[in-house]
Amino acid sequence: MVVAAADLPTLRRHARARGWSRLRLLSAGDNTFKYDLGSEDEDGVQDSTVSVFTRDADGTVRHCYSAHPRMAEDIDQRGLDLLSPVWHLLDLTPGGRGDWFAGLDY
């Protein structure tokens, strides 16, 4: 599932425009989830976060892991590389990945 700061109608429009029909989208717009995991600060600055949760047999949800793309102020968008192996291939080429970052529209 994906949790985003946007409201549900906006998330649903975004998903429909991309043909996403089997992805569960949740809104963190009206709760503290995005602050609790550090994906948004008090000034509204957002950073992507990948988190893993498990559910015990009794239904208890546990936070196991979170990672952010920005590993340090001078290292931008490298913390989630293991989830996208294409970066490993680009890093092996003479030009590397350069300053290109994935976008929603091209």
Side-chain angles (χ1 to χ4, degrees), residues 29-80:
D30 291 334
N31 59 53
T32 64
F33 186 82
K34 58 192 174 189
Y35 307 116
D36 297 341
L37 292 177
S39 60
E40 186 172 327
D41 66 18
E42 61 278 353
D43 296 324
V45 176
Q46 296 179 354
D47 190 12
S48 299
T49 306
V50 171
S51 297
V52 176
F53 295 85
T54 61
R55 185 184 311 256
D56 294 345
D58 67 358
T60 303
V61 175
R62 300 186 186 278
H63 176 245
C64 295
Y65 174 84
S66 286
H68 301 273
R70 189 176 319 279
M71 295 176 67
E73 286 302 316
D74 61 335
I75 304 174
D76 194 22
Q77 305 292 331
R78 301 295 197 251
L80 303 177

Side-chain angles (χ1 to χ4, degrees), residues 11-41:
L11 288 174
R12 288 182 180 137
R13 278 193 307 276
H14 187 77
R16 283 188 200 112
R18 283 153 185 75
W20 300 344
S21 60
R22 297 183 182 191
L23 180 63
R24 186 169 179 196
L25 300 171
L26 301 174
S27 173
D30 291 334
N31 59 53
T32 64
F33 186 82
K34 58 192 174 189
Y35 307 116
D36 297 341
L37 292 177
S39 60
E40 186 172 327
D41 66 18

